[in-house]
């Protein structure tokens, strides 16, 4: 048996059995040939953590290639022992796992790749992240500096950026509301510009690639439209259904990166500066975040040349374009979850002073193509192509599109509350900072009036399951902001004329809303009586404006012996008759600042579970492929894992808390 000298003497003492096994393991020998019960016996041996780490660190790339399967088997057996071993074996397995974690990033070779996957397997071992006590090992290793290093280095980021951002996001969500999570603190205080930009680029590249693939699919659909037109409606609907299902699954795969974006914006004020930062790297990071392996990688090089403005890696642009795609899927629960996360991100952005200053900067303009849903009452077009404009204009266009395209029987009131809340915050910023943007406000007014119409006409069904008065109050308060403070942010005096014209043109809507609210406010047992009374008071100025101008217009028509006025004639009467007194309403420029607790805690808990399950499934597949020597390219959309395949194997990797 091999031996070594005892320190300070000329004699040799026998090498520990476990150390001898480590050496065999790192030479790539088949350890199971030694004994059928090899692993059961191995975990009865006390680990020598220093020697295991030393043996792993000595491996060069060629040696690692030989030892890779043994290293993977060792870790897999450690996990299995946690579930089925006795207390001694479990203790020894945990110590061995600790070596793997401590070894992470100590050696800049292919080993680090496998260690990142191992860390992700540990972190995602249990769907409920708070019940996974093994994460304490990772948290205790202080890997944040290593994460920063990878995100700051373009070559490392392209290889491992997606894994690092995903792992960091999971660690941030570990008992984040129960005590001091060091990763929450570290992410909150991160001020390293290179690391922040790298973090943002990982997200931006994935979202941009998704938008590219979506546009390519639209191009293919347009090319084959004549073929589709020859099919029956039934067959066509089958294809559309399959396409929507596939897209919903692809949208779900982006939850991890969107959650990472949310955490960065929510926790770190410094991260806001990266949103408008134009990324220089052309190679996307390796996401390995899709769910189906069978489809292969699309050949982007063979696609038609596309306008580069579609694919700016500016994170603002990528996020807005991405949101416009997700908004088109009205029926999928997966898309609804993803869209809510998008709106929460936009809410955090709309509350930030610096983000607003960037979005309203007239020197910072972008041409952003927002995808639009196909609707019967408007032209069949996939995009709204805008001229270069401030990002605030694009954000308002995006929110207007959501409002007009989601007036559905299954009304998503929570999403509408978020959407209207974002609009409210943006206008409040303009009022407080006296910022005037050249925006076509009529689009917004028309959209939110359509929303009021929908609430009125579907009142009976909606009142059975939600509080429509709260949403209607937000809409009316937006109008009140324009009425009371429009002179501080409207770009032209004509905008006021157009506002009052729209209020009078749609006077029936506001009168019907008033009648409905009055009815509920007078009920003794109305569940939402207080909200209806607040809405009733908020309507006072709008009703006064309508009454005043209706009377002036009728008097003028009578004096001119006319029955039907033109739009220009009404505008002239509005301009001449601003002599009315309105009530000054309080707190129009106030809103409840966003807080994750308590309203959204359950949403994020369920979202993290989905991210954990998807990440575990994908990572486990990739680890298995790497053990076969298969090279797996991890480009967005290129690697996918069958939704059912691997469930049994993944179950073996679950750890016991």
């Amino acid at each position: 048996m091999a031996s070594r000298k005892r320190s300070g003497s000329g004699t040799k003492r026998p090498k520990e059995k476990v150390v001898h096994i480590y050496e065999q393991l790192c030479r790539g020998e088949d350890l199971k040939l030694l004994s059928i019960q090899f692993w059961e016996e191995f975990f009865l041996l006390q680990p020598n953590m220093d020697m295991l780490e030393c043996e792993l660190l000595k491996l060069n790339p060629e040696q690692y290639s030989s030892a890779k399967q043994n290293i993977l088997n060792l870790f897999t057996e450690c996990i299995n022992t946690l579930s089925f071993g006795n207390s001694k074996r479990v203790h020894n397995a945990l110590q061995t796992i600790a070596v793997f974690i401590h070894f992470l990033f100590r050696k800049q070779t292919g080993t680090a790749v496998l260690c990142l996957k191992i860390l992700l397997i540990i972190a995602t071992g249990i769907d409920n992240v708070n019940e996974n006590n093994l994460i304490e090992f990772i948290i205790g290793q202080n890997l944040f500096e290593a994460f920063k290093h990878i995100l700051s280095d373009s070559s490392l980021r392209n290889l491992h950026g997606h894994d690092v951002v995903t792992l960091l996001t999971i660690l941030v969500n570990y008992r984040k509301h129960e005590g001091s999570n060091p990763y929450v603190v570290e992410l909150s205080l991160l001020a390293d510009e290179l690391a922040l930009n790298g973090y943002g680029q990982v997200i931006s590249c994935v979202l941009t690639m998704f938008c590219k693939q979506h546009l390519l699919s639209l191009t293919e659909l347009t090319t084959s439209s004549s073929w589709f037109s020859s099919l029956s409606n039934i067959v066509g609907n089958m294809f559309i259904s399959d396409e929507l299902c596939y897209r919903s699954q692809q949208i779900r795969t982006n939850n991890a990166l969107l959650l990472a974006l949310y955490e960065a914006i929510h926790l770190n004020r410094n991260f806001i500066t990266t949103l408008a930062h134009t990324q220089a790297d052309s190679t996307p990071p390796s996401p390995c975040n899709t769910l189906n392996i069978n489809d292969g990688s699309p050949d982007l090089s063979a696609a038609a040349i596309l306008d580069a403005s579609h694919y700016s890696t500016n994170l603002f642009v990528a996020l807005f374009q991405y949101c416009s795609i997700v908004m088109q899927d009205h029926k999928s629960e997966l898309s609804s979850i993803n869209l809510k996360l998008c709106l929460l991100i936009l809410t955090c952005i709309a509350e930030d002073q610096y983000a607003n200053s960037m979005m309203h900067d007239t020197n910072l303009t972008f041409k952003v193509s927002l995808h639009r849903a196909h609707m019967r009452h408007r032209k069949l077009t996939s995009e709204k192509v805008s001229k270069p404009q401030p990002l605030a204009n694009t954000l308002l266009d995006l929110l207007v599109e959501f409002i007009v395209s989601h007036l559905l029987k299954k009304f998503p009131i929570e999403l509408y509350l978020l959407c209207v809340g974002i609009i409210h915050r943006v206008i409040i910023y303009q009022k407080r900072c006296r910022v005037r943007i050249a925006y076509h406000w009529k689009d917004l007014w028309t959209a939110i009036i359509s929303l009021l119409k929908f609430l009125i006409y579907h009142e009976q069904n909606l009142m059975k399951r939600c509080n429509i008065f709260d949403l209607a109050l937000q809409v009316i308060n937006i109008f009140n902001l324009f009425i009371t403070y429009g002179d501080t942010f409207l770009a032209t005096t004509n905008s006021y004329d157009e506002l009052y014209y729209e209020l009078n043109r749609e006077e029936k809507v506001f009168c019907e809303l008033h009648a409905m609210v009055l009815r509920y406010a007078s009920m003794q047992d109305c569940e939402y009586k207080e909200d209806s009374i607040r809405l009733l008071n908020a309507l006072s100025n709008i009703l006064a404006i309508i009454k005043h101008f209706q009377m002036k217009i009728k008097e003028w028509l009578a004096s001119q012996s006319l029955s039907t006025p033109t739009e220009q004639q009404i505008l002239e009467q509005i301009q001449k008759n601003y002599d009315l007194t309105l009530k000054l309403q309080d707190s129009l420029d106030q809103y409840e600042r966003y807080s994750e607790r308590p309203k959204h805690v359950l949403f994020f808990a369920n979202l993290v579970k989905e991210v954990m399950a998807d990440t575990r499934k994908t990572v486990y597949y990739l680890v298995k492929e790497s053990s076969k020597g298969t090279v797996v390219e991890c480009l967005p959309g290129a690697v996918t894992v069958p939704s059912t395949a691997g469930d049994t194997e993944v179950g073996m990797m679950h750890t016991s808390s």
Side-chain angles (χ1 to χ4, degrees):
M1 177 180 289
S3 62
R4 57 185 176 183
K5 290 184 178 181
R6 186 184 302 272
S7 177
S9 72
T11 61
K12 296 181 179 180
R13 63 180 176 85
K15 188 177 297 184
E16 294 176 67
K17 183 177 181 179
V18 72
V19 174
H20 183 63
I21 293 175
Y22 293 158
E23 292 175 346
Q24 291 177 296
L25 180 148
C26 290
R27 288 197 297 266
E29 297 180 15
D30 189 349
L31 301 179
K32 277 197 172 182
L33 294 178
L34 301 178
S35 169
I36 298 177
Q37 303 296 321
F38 172 78
W39 290 114
E40 288 80 355
E41 297 170 359
F42 174 80
F43 285 108
L44 289 175
L45 299 174
Q46 177 66 35
N48 187 323
M49 299 174 68
D50 291 336
M51 288 305 300
L52 176 56
E53 182 179 358
C54 179
E55 291 298 324
L56 291 173
L57 286 171
K58 286 193 302 185
L59 292 173
N60 60 37
E62 184 179 348
Q63 290 169 332
Y64 169 71
S65 180
S66 300
K68 180 173 60 176
Q69 182 62 57
N70 278 348
I71 294 172
L72 179 61
N73 289 342
L74 173 58
F75 183 79
T76 302
E77 293 299 332
C78 286
I79 298 297
N80 290 338
T81 300
L82 298 181
S83 298
F84 306 111
N86 58 32
S87 59
K88 181 174 177 59
R89 287 190 176 97
V90 168
H91 180 269
N92 292 340
L94 287 173
Q95 284 192 314
T96 305
I97 290 172
V99 174
F100 278 109
I101 299 172
H102 187 66
F103 166 68
L104 180 64
F105 305 126
R106 291 284 306 277
K107 191 176 179 70
Q108 297 293 329
T109 67
T111 311
V113 181
L114 183 59
C115 283
L116 262 177
K117 297 294 188 289
I118 288 171
L119 289 177
L120 281 168
I121 291 174
I122 294 174
T124 61
I126 298 175
D127 284 350
N128 187 338
V129 64
N130 293 334
E131 294 178 358
N132 187 351
N133 292 332
L134 288 180
I135 290 183
E136 294 286 354
F137 280 95
I138 305 177
I139 289 179
Q141 298 300 314
N142 189 23
L143 297 175
F144 196 81
E145 287 300 318
F147 292 164
K148 280 174 55 179
H149 174 67
I150 288 180
L151 294 174
S152 301
D153 185 289
S154 61
S155 58
L156 290 176
R157 181 173 63 247
N158 288 334
L159 290 172
H160 311 305
H162 188 281
D163 284 345
V164 167
V165 171
T166 302
L167 179 58
L168 179 57
T169 303
I170 292 171
L171 296 177
V172 164
N173 279 276
Y174 176 67
R175 300 180 179 175
K176 66 188 295 189
H177 299 304
E178 297 179 16
S180 178
N181 181 328
Y183 284 89
V184 173
V185 177
E186 294 274 15
L187 183 58
S188 300
L189 299 178
L190 180 61
D192 186 307
E193 186 177 354
L194 285 176
L196 289 171
N197 286 335
Y199 188 107
Q201 188 186 13
V202 171
I203 300 166
S204 180
C205 286
V206 171
L207 297 184
T208 300
M209 182 64 79
F210 179 88
C211 295
K212 283 184 180 181
Q213 290 178 329
H214 176 75
L215 193 58
L216 284 172
S217 68
L218 291 180
T219 304
E220 292 170 0
L221 187 62
T222 303
T223 304
S224 59
S225 59
S226 59
W227 180 79
F228 272 103
S229 63
S230 65
L231 299 177
S232 67
N233 288 334
I234 296 177
V235 176
N237 288 336
M238 289 169 58
F239 278 102
I240 292 172
S241 177
D242 289 343
E243 172 65 23
L244 289 176
C245 181
Y246 175 75
R247 188 170 69 185
S248 295
Q249 289 294 330
Q250 292 298 96
I251 287 173
R252 171 171 172 162
T253 65
N254 296 318
N255 281 344
L257 271 296
L258 278 179
L259 183 58
L261 177 59
Y262 164 81
E263 296 295 357
I265 292 175
H266 183 225
L267 296 174
N268 190 311
R269 291 294 303 276
N270 300 318
F271 185 76
I272 294 295
T273 62
T274 71
L275 294 176
H277 179 78
T278 301
Q279 308 291 351
D281 289 359
S282 59
T283 305
S286 171
C288 301
N289 69 332
T290 48
L291 295 179
N292 297 311
I293 288 286
N294 303 323
D295 301 312
S297 174
D299 183 6
L300 299 180
S301 62
I305 296 176
L306 303 169
D307 186 350
S309 64
H310 288 269
Y311 307 131
S312 170
T313 52
N314 172 291
L315 191 46
F316 264 130
V317 173
L319 178 62
F320 291 168
Q321 290 182 338
Y322 177 82
C323 290
S324 71
I325 296 173
V326 178
M327 284 179 182
Q328 295 182 67
D329 192 347
H330 300 156
K331 299 178 181 179
S332 168
E333 182 65 23
L334 296 177
S335 296
S336 178
I337 291 170
N338 194 271
L339 179 54
K340 178 178 176 179
L341 181 55
C342 289
L343 292 174
L344 290 175
I345 291 170
L346 295 177
T347 299
C348 294
I349 290 173
E351 288 188 1
D352 187 89
Q353 184 83 358
Y354 187 70
N356 269 303
S357 68
M358 288 193 294
M359 289 194 296
H360 288 85
D361 187 347
T362 55
N363 295 315
L364 192 66
T365 61
F366 295 88
K367 182 179 179 181
V368 185
S369 298
L370 299 180
H371 299 266
R372 307 176 76 200
H374 293 164
M375 301 174 69
R376 285 176 298 196
H377 64 275
R378 69 182 182 187
K379 266 188 164 184
L380 196 66
T381 177
S382 61
E383 299 177 343
K384 179 173 183 177
V385 181
S386 67
K387 61 179 183 294
Q389 61 180 4
L391 290 165
N393 295 47
T394 304
L395 175 58
L396 290 170
D397 286 340
L398 179 70
L399 299 171
V400 165
E401 174 63 20
F402 173 82
I403 291 173
V404 301
S405 62
H406 285 73
L407 299 173
L408 311 168
K409 185 176 181 181
K410 189 178 180 181
F411 186 65
I413 188 168
E414 184 180 21
L415 300 183
Y416 268 96
L417 286 168
L418 290 171
C419 177
V420 175
I422 297 166
I423 295 172
H424 189 218
R425 286 161 171 77
V426 170
I427 295 175
I428 287 173
Y429 169 82
Q430 295 174 6
K431 177 259 179 186
R432 290 177 178 173
C433 298
R434 295 181 173 269
V435 176
R436 304 176 191 274
I437 59 173
Y439 187 70
H440 195 230
W441 291 109
K442 184 179 177 181
D443 290 346
L444 173 62
W445 299 331
T446 302
I448 57 180
I449 288 173
S450 298
L451 173 56
L452 291 177
K453 286 181 184 177
F454 183 88
L455 298 180
I456 294 167
Y457 298 151
H458 296 83
E459 163 217 338
Q460 291 187 352
N461 290 331
L462 292 174
M463 285 295 292
K464 295 175 183 177
R465 56 188 180 88
C466 59
N467 180 5
I468 63 174
F469 298 119
D470 189 21
L471 177 57
L473 178 61
Q474 284 199 38
V475 172
I476 295 302
N477 279 340
I478 288 175
F479 277 116
N480 283 330
L481 269 171
F482 281 100
I483 293 168
T484 309
Y485 301 110
D487 60 315
T488 65
F489 62 88
L490 288 174
T492 65
T493 54
N494 289 339
S495 297
Y496 251 125
D497 303 335
E498 294 171 358
L499 171 63
Y500 282 24
Y501 177 86
E502 287 302 312
L503 294 178
N504 278 274
R505 188 173 69 87
E506 299 287 0
E507 58 94 13
K508 181 181 177 183
V509 176
F510 294 101
C511 291
E512 289 180 348
L513 177 62
H514 177 255
M516 182 188 80
V517 175
L518 193 61
R519 187 170 74 253
Y520 282 96
S522 62
M523 292 180 182
Q524 295 297 324
D525 57 347
C526 177
E527 181 181 357
Y528 307 117
K529 186 169 184 177
E530 291 184 6
D531 294 305
S532 65
I533 293 174
R534 280 197 290 269
L535 178 54
L536 194 62
N537 294 331
L539 278 166
S540 60
N541 280 346
I542 294 176
L543 296 174
I545 290 169
I546 291 173
K547 182 178 179 181
H548 172 80
F549 285 105
Q550 288 291 314
M551 182 180 67
K552 294 295 183 181
I553 292 169
K554 287 178 181 178
E555 289 176 356
W556 181 82
L557 287 174
S559 68
Q560 300 296 315
S561 300
L562 295 174
S563 58
T564 306
T566 64
E567 178 179 338
Q568 186 58 40
Q569 289 172 333
I570 293 177
L571 283 170
E572 288 174 0
Q573 292 308 306
I574 289 174
Q575 292 166 353
K576 294 176 181 177
N577 293 283
Y578 272 106
D579 54 334
L580 74 161
T581 303
L582 299 175
K583 177 183 176 183
L584 183 61
Q585 296 183 334
D586 298 328
S587 304
L588 291 177
D589 62 346
Q590 303 295 322
Y591 57 84
E592 182 182 353
R593 289 194 64 84
Y594 171 77
S595 175
E596 187 175 312
R597 292 189 293 176
K599 189 181 297 184
H600 303 292
V601 169
L602 182 59
F603 168 77
F604 281 105
N606 291 331
L607 181 64
V608 171
K609 286 182 180 180
E610 289 187 359
V611 169
M612 301 273 282
D614 292 346
T615 303
R616 179 175 64 241
K617 190 176 297 183
T618 304
V619 169
Y620 187 67
Y621 170 82
L622 293 171
V623 170
K624 287 199 300 183
E625 290 302 302
S626 70
S627 71
K628 301 173 186 175
T630 305
V631 177
V632 182
E633 294 293 338
C634 301
L635 292 175
V639 178
T640 51
V641 178
S643 57
T644 55
D647 288 351
T648 303
E649 295 95 327
V650 170
M652 293 170 59
M653 305 301 288
H654 288 197
T655 58
S656 172
S657 61

